[in-house]
Amino acid sequence: MKTQVGIIGGGPSGLLLSQLLHVQGIDTVVLEKHSRDYVLGRIRAGVLEHGFADLMREANCGARMDAEGEIHDGFYIAHDGVRDRIDLKGLTGGNSVIVYGQTELTRDLYDAREKMGGAVIHHAQNVQPHDITSDKPYLTYTKDGEAHRIDCDYIIGADGFHGVSRKSIPQDKIREFERVYPFGWLGVLSRTKPVSPELIYAKHERGFALCSLRSQTLSRYYIQVPLSDSVEDWSDDDFWAELKRRLPADVSSQLETGPSIEKSIAPLRSFVAEPMRYGNMFLAGDAAHIVPPTGARGLNSAASDIYYLYHAMLDHYKNGDDRGLEGYSQKALARVWKGQRFSWGMTTLLHRFPGNSDFDNKLQQTDLDYLLSSESAMKSLAENYVGLPF
Ligand code: RFL
Ligand code: PHB
């Protein structure tokens, strides 16, 4: 088989790029290791920047997001038994975010790919990029015991943090920067009315908590837990009781509880691999960088990679101009690091760090006091949360 752009990974990054390029008449093949249902079963992001939403619209995939997604003009920070609102719209001169689940967005992308007859190959095993530094790179994989080969102009590594593409780059050609946090997030999805119409990020001495949602009948809650905990350690009742302890009384008294329909623990990590290009293979999304979810940046950072790659590919195929491809890594990384800085900052501000001294805790408290008392500081927070320009 032959294609122009061979994409490893059928998560949001790979599917979005494939869809955008196909709309412009550029041929792609997506190789995904798992089934569609498996990919859709992963409950992840919930908050989208407008830049991301614009890309979905450009890919002809924005209709359901625009109809069912919720525009959020602000969120709350809860601390010391009270709540302070971050007025995103007021602080950014009119910007906001969209609450629309990654599951729904990925479903829309799969449906659009199917409608256009796009090639998305599921259950692709042992995917391997070859001759990456030549001008004739190719991919091999097996499916149902049969070996396949795809010749391409370019390879896109959009196969997430554990994928094969980053690992195919020789170690002396890539540098990795990493911070692992000493805790994770236990997340619960429940068919209950959300406790608040806007998200609540809660700092508490027992640990961080987050009240989020997918719709007015579907809630998503998280609590910070030690890395040694496993999902089996947490019954639904234990989860709700602990969440209530970490929220202000006027919030916890309103919390509607119910059976969990999904429960999982995600470790928190900051990670960047540089550069994001090796030969004719380009990394995008979680394959190249991971953030702790506190600032809701992960999927949004993936979207900016896709934006830069999409435009670079258009310039290459339509105008014979390779400057976008040459500059991709540098341009993408500049924005990626700003997302890293923000996510690290939000995580540091709101979590309980086991090794912290009393002095560290006082400074953390003072950081929050300062933030909530300074319009300039809140403006900076809001500007980053709604997403820096691409
Ligand atoms: P994905 O989603 O991991 O998709 C990669 C795909 O590649 C496949 N794959 C392979 N395919 C073929 N061959 C191989 N060898 C392969 N290896 C892997 C995988 O099966 C998978 O389908 O990466 P992508 O597309 O770059 O998307 C990134 C996002 O998923 C991620 O950044 C966000 O979910 C992060 N995130 C959030 N981001 C936000 O912007 N806003 C949020 O509110 C937000 N909340 C979150 C989050 C992530 C979380 N977790 C669980 C880490 C909340 C949580 C709890
Ligand atoms: C979510 O709804 O899953 C979510 C929202 C905001 C975050 C992280 C996760 O910062």
Side-chain angles (χ1 to χ4, degrees):
M1 204 196 286
K2 207 175 165 14
T3 189
Q4 288 171 300
V5 183
I7 301 176
I8 312 176
S13 300
L15 292 171
L16 179 57
L17 183 64
S18 165
Q19 176 67 12
L20 283 163
L21 292 177
H22 198 160
V23 168
Q24 297 290 337
I26 297 167
D27 193 51
T28 68
V29 174
V30 175
L31 294 179
E32 166 58 48
K33 190 179 184 172
H34 293 288
S35 69
R36 176 182 164 137
D37 284 348
Y38 178 91
V39 175
L40 293 177
R42 291 186 296 217
I43 308 298
R44 289 184 168 182
V47 175
L48 307 180
E49 298 172 1
H50 275 280
F52 195 118
D54 287 342
L55 270 183
M56 287 291 284
R57 292 181 195 114
E58 190 160 349
N60 297 333
C61 287
R64 204 161 66 94
M65 175 190 72
D66 283 329
E68 296 175 18
E70 288 185 15
I71 306 265
H72 281 216
D73 293 335
F75 66 84
Y76 292 96
I77 295 183
H79 61 100
D80 307 297
V82 297
R83 260 188 296 173
D84 282 282
R85 184 165 184 269
I86 305 295
D87 175 10
L88 293 173
K89 195 171 183 181
L91 289 161
T92 59
N95 261 325
S96 53
V97 290
I98 301 181
V99 170
Y100 189 63
Q102 181 167 332
T103 301
E104 300 312 317
L105 175 144
T106 310
R107 192 190 307 280
D108 295 343
L109 287 165
Y110 272 133
D111 287 350
R113 294 287 47 228
E114 211 164 278
K115 239 190 230 161
M116 287 187 76
V120 180
I121 298 167
H122 285 282
H123 303 290
Q125 301 300 313
N126 310 314
V127 175
Q128 194 62 55
H130 302 271
D131 293 356
I132 305 171
T133 53
S134 80
D135 59 359
K136 291 188 174 51
Y138 64 99
L139 293 165
T140 55
Y141 67 98
T142 52
K143 182 165 166 148
D144 303 327
E146 241 179 78
H148 300 267
R149 169 177 170 144
I150 305 176
D151 293 293
C152 14
D153 300 337
Y154 297 107
I155 293 172
I156 306 298
D159 48 354
F161 182 65
H162 299 288
V164 66
S165 38
R166 189 182 69 252
K167 290 176 195 145
S168 308
I169 301 175
Q171 273 187 4
D172 61 337
K173 301 288 183 210
I174 195 160
R175 193 157 168 216
E176 298 183 345
F177 302 82
E178 185 172 43
R179 168 157 302 175
V180 176
Y181 300 85
F183 41 74
W185 280 17
L186 170 63
V188 157
L189 188 69
S190 66
R191 245 176 251 298
T192 50
K193 185 175 157 33
V195 69
S196 159
E198 293 183 338
L199 273 68
I200 304 175
Y201 291 81
K203 176 181 187 291
H204 192 275
E205 61 185 25
R206 296 181 65 88
F208 170 80
L210 171 61
C211 305
S212 182
L213 63 149
R214 292 292 176 272
S215 70
Q216 283 313 309
T217 54
L218 199 56
S219 300
R220 181 68 164 162
Y221 297 105
Y222 297 95
I223 54 172
Q224 173 187 349
V225 293
L227 281 177
S228 50
D229 282 14
S230 63
V231 171
E232 293 71 42
D233 298 332
W234 287 90
S235 68
D236 287 356
D237 287 347
D238 290 344
F239 176 84
W240 294 120
E242 185 57 32
L243 177 63
K244 280 184 178 175
R245 282 186 205 109
R246 299 182 187 187
L247 298 173
D250 66 318
V251 179
S252 59
S253 64
Q254 298 297 314
L255 184 72
E256 191 180 297
T257 63
S260 62
I261 50 178
E262 195 267 357
K263 196 191 282 170
S264 51
I265 293 184
L268 266 63
R269 182 195 299 271
S270 301
F271 174 89
V272 182
E274 291 191 0
M276 287 171 61
R277 174 187 190 170
Y278 178 62
N280 281 320
M281 180 170 76
F282 297 85
L283 301 179
D286 279 17
H289 42 79
I290 296 280
V291 286
T294 325
R297 292 301 82 205
L299 185 56
N300 290 305
S301 291
S304 64
D305 296 349
I306 298 307
Y307 176 89
Y308 297 133
L309 265 181
Y310 165 53
H311 285 280
M313 290 288 173
L314 280 188
D315 281 346
H316 170 79
Y317 284 110
K318 306 268 181 205
N319 312 318
D321 179 351
D322 280 352
R323 279 175 300 176
L325 290 176
E326 299 299 340
Y328 167 69
S329 178
Q330 201 184 1
K331 204 166 183 179
L333 282 167
R335 192 173 189 278
V336 160
W337 274 110
K338 292 188 184 104
Q340 289 287 338
R341 173 191 159 276
F342 179 65
S343 307
W344 162 82
M346 283 278 278
T347 303
T348 307
L349 182 71
L350 297 172
H351 287 73
R352 181 85 188 164
F353 283 74
N356 265 10
S357 64
D358 290 347
F359 183 83
D360 296 328
N361 290 336
K362 276 281 183 195
L363 280 186
Q364 186 191 34
Q365 187 58 44
T366 308
D367 265 346
L368 187 59
D369 289 348
Y370 169 67
L371 169 71
L372 297 172
S373 66
S374 156
E375 180 155 338
S376 312
M378 277 194 287
K379 268 190 173 163
S380 165
L381 172 78
E383 176 187 48
N384 280 277
Y385 193 86
V386 300
L388 298 173
F390 286 162

